[in-house]
Amino acid sequence: MNNFQFYNPVKIIFGKGQIAAVAREVPANARVMLTYGGGSIKKNGVYDQVMAALKNHQVIEFQGIEPNPRYETLMQAVSIARRGQVDFILAVGGGSVIDGTKFIAAAMLYDGDNPWDMLSKGIKAKKAVPFGTVLTLPGTGSEMNSGAVITRAETSEKFSFGSPFTFPQFSVLDPETTFTLPLRQISNGVADAFTHVLEQYLTYPVNAPLQDRMAEAVLLTLKEEGPKALDNPHDYDTMANIMWSATMALNGVIRVGVPTDWATHYIGHELTALHGIDHARTLAIVLPSLLRYKQETKKEKLLQYGERVWGVTVGTDDEKIEATIQATISFFESLDIRTRLQDYDVDEATIRTIVKRLQERGTKNLGERADIQIEDIEKILTRSL
Ligand code: NZQ
Ligand code: ZN
């Protein structure tokens, strides 16, 4: 096992009726900014529950954080929050609202010239305004990690950042908030969480059987619960299991002491930036080709994943690996997620554009062995056509 440090200060408040806890979790004298998206929270009663919990607080609202949150929108929130001397932010929504809020919180106290540098140049935030979250869409894991992915519309760039200061203080996870989710968003959440686990598990063995089995536990749970959620999206227990699985997939626990890949996410972000394809769907497009392309260096873990998660035990190693990748593709397809670029009307021209952008950016050394270069990305995307 590799050396590691583990730090995760997020308080999780899980279950039915728990939004009321916001009243005591937000500091009593805080000037609060409530951040949310396009209005789903007004249709499902979540907004009313949050406002009831904040009835003794001073609150200003920032509505309109879009899916794949935009820097341009978030900077408007930063100036409103600064003018209003906001000292606590409450994010209510999915990964986009939570990610956007992490950026607002860090940008408000950023002491350099341009907060975009945290994304484009990797300059670390040194502080951030404290914030909490009320999660309404399980999938990204943003509710219990310190990372965020932000899009700059002007240049169609999508970059991530993270810092020890951008962990939420607390996150309320009430599975009932998911009952109004469109099926497409449930599918996205399951596929995103599933891929988060695979990016931290399908690498190479380092004799970390506990991390492996914890990763497999999350995969098996998502494999069982995902289809149930699509059949019965109002089943509390199913949604509770999906919610907690998605949080466990990306709160740092399964990553400790093991190598991680993240090339699928890196490549996927380019597809969202250029074509607006939902984040999870970009992963379902890229992952199968990446696994095939890297099957020699990922061989041992692919065989273990196949056997323990999909029950693949017969055939040569190559046959077992192919059956395992096919099972993964079928799982995505069973969630009604297409896995080829052509399903999204994307052709070679986009691959050429991506290659050019990566060359300009100097992208190199992706993956757990730092051996995925731009020419490999081109081949992986070509195999996804
Ligand atoms: O904006 P509203 O009106 O709230 O509607 C949203 C949005 O249109 C809707 N929605 C959310 N909760 C709902 C609901 N509709 C009905 N009922 C509810 N309860 O769903 C739509 C999509 O929301 P969004 O937040 O964009 O989805 P998701 O949670 O999948 O977040 C995707 C973003 O997270 C980033 C992605 O790159 C993408 O930008 N990620 C963040 C990560 C992190 N911070 O750790 C890791 C992930 O890999 C991912 O990259
Ligand atoms: Zn993801």
Side-chain angles (χ1 to χ4, degrees):
M1 195 191 303
N2 300 336
N3 292 358
F4 69 85
Q5 294 187 3
F6 178 68
Y7 172 70
N8 191 319
V10 184
K11 176 172 181 178
I12 295 293
I13 302 165
F14 193 99
K16 241 177 242 190
Q18 294 305 306
I19 292 174
V22 163
R24 56 173 191 275
E25 295 300 328
V26 176
N29 299 318
R31 281 180 301 275
V32 182
M33 183 156 86
L34 176 70
T35 51
Y36 54 103
S40 71
I41 64 165
K42 292 211 166 148
K43 295 189 199 126
N44 60 12
V46 171
Y47 174 86
D48 293 337
Q49 291 182 61
V50 169
M51 290 313 270
L54 289 175
K55 66 177 189 299
N56 295 323
H57 286 84
Q58 250 179 285
V59 182
I60 60 172
E61 295 183 28
F62 186 81
Q63 170 173 15
I65 298 180
E66 54 282 275
N68 306 307
R70 293 180 172 187
Y71 168 76
E72 291 85 347
T73 306
L74 302 172
M75 287 307 287
Q76 291 172 24
V78 169
S79 52
I80 294 168
R82 280 187 181 142
R83 270 204 307 277
Q85 297 184 314
V86 162
D87 51 19
F88 195 93
I89 313 177
L90 184 68
V92 184
S96 294
V97 171
I98 299 176
D99 281 12
T101 300
K102 289 175 181 174
F103 179 77
I104 297 166
M108 277 175 69
L109 302 185
Y110 185 69
D111 53 16
D113 295 335
N114 185 352
W116 180 249
D117 291 347
M118 290 188 284
L119 293 141
S120 61
K121 297 186 183 158
I123 295 182
K124 287 283 171 200
K126 296 198 192 94
K127 45 192 183 264
V129 171
F131 64 96
T133 88
V134 175
L135 180 69
T136 64
L137 198 179
T140 65
S142 188
E143 66 279 7
M144 200 178 170
N145 69 40
S146 59
V149 196
I150 308 298
T151 297
R152 188 158 187 161
E154 189 194 351
T155 51
S156 301
E157 288 168 309
K158 189 172 193 212
F159 293 145
S160 53
F161 86 108
S163 82
F165 311 101
T166 43
F167 281 105
Q169 306 274 310
F170 66 86
S171 285
V172 177
L173 277 57
D174 177 349
E176 286 190 332
T177 62
T178 67
F179 288 173
T180 48
L181 280 171
L183 293 184
R184 164 174 155 174
Q185 299 301 343
I186 297 177
S187 296
N188 282 351
V190 171
D192 192 17
F194 198 84
T195 310
H196 292 159
V197 180
L198 292 182
E199 295 256 41
Q200 301 163 94
Y201 166 80
L202 276 183
T203 57
Y204 54 86
V206 291
N207 196 355
L210 177 63
Q211 290 89 323
D212 282 1
R213 291 198 176 96
M214 288 173 79
E216 288 152 7
V218 180
L219 294 172
L220 287 163
T221 309
L222 289 168
K223 174 192 157 193
E224 282 169 18
E225 303 293 316
K228 281 197 225 163
L230 295 185
D231 286 346
N232 190 357
H234 296 171
D235 184 69
Y236 179 85
D237 291 327
T238 304
M239 294 314 295
N241 287 322
I242 287 178
M243 211 171 210
W244 187 230
S245 298
T247 302
M248 284 302 292
L250 200 53
N251 64 4
V253 169
I254 63 169
R255 182 199 59 204
V256 297
V258 300
T260 56
D261 182 340
W262 296 119
T264 294
H265 268 71
Y266 188 94
I267 303 168
H269 288 166
E270 296 304 311
L271 294 170
T272 303
L274 290 169
H275 290 280
I277 302 171
D278 292 353
H279 168 66
R281 286 160 203 261
T282 68
L283 308 176
I285 295 166
V286 176
L287 181 75
S289 310
L290 184 135
L291 295 181
R292 285 200 182 104
Y293 189 74
K294 285 296 192 190
Q295 61 177 285
E296 275 312 310
T297 57
K298 290 180 182 289
K299 186 175 194 159
E300 286 152 293
K301 292 304 280 289
L302 271 165
L303 290 169
Q304 179 179 318
Y305 162 60
E307 182 171 342
R308 296 190 187 175
V309 176
W310 299 109
V312 177
T313 51
V314 214
T316 63
D317 284 356
D318 283 352
E319 286 165 354
K320 285 195 273 191
I321 286 171
E322 185 50 31
T324 300
I325 295 171
Q326 278 301 339
T328 309
I329 293 171
S330 302
F331 179 60
F332 290 141
E333 303 264 349
S334 77
L335 298 170
D336 206 18
I337 294 182
R338 305 273 87 85
T339 57
R340 319 260 353 162
L341 281 170
Q342 60 194 4
D343 298 323
Y344 301 85
D345 295 327
V346 173
D347 59 19
E348 291 100 330
T350 293
I351 302 179
R352 285 196 294 276
T353 308
I354 291 176
V355 166
K356 190 157 164 286
R357 288 160 63 109
L358 299 183
Q359 282 164 344
E360 283 160 10
R361 208 183 295 159
T363 297
K364 59 180 182 206
N365 302 343
L366 302 186
E368 68 272 14
R369 294 177 195 263
D371 62 353
I372 299 180
Q373 312 301 348
I374 295 172
E375 55 272 25
D376 302 305
I377 296 173
E378 185 173 11
K379 288 183 190 140
I380 290 164
L381 283 170
T382 304
R383 290 178 186 199
S384 299
L385 278 169

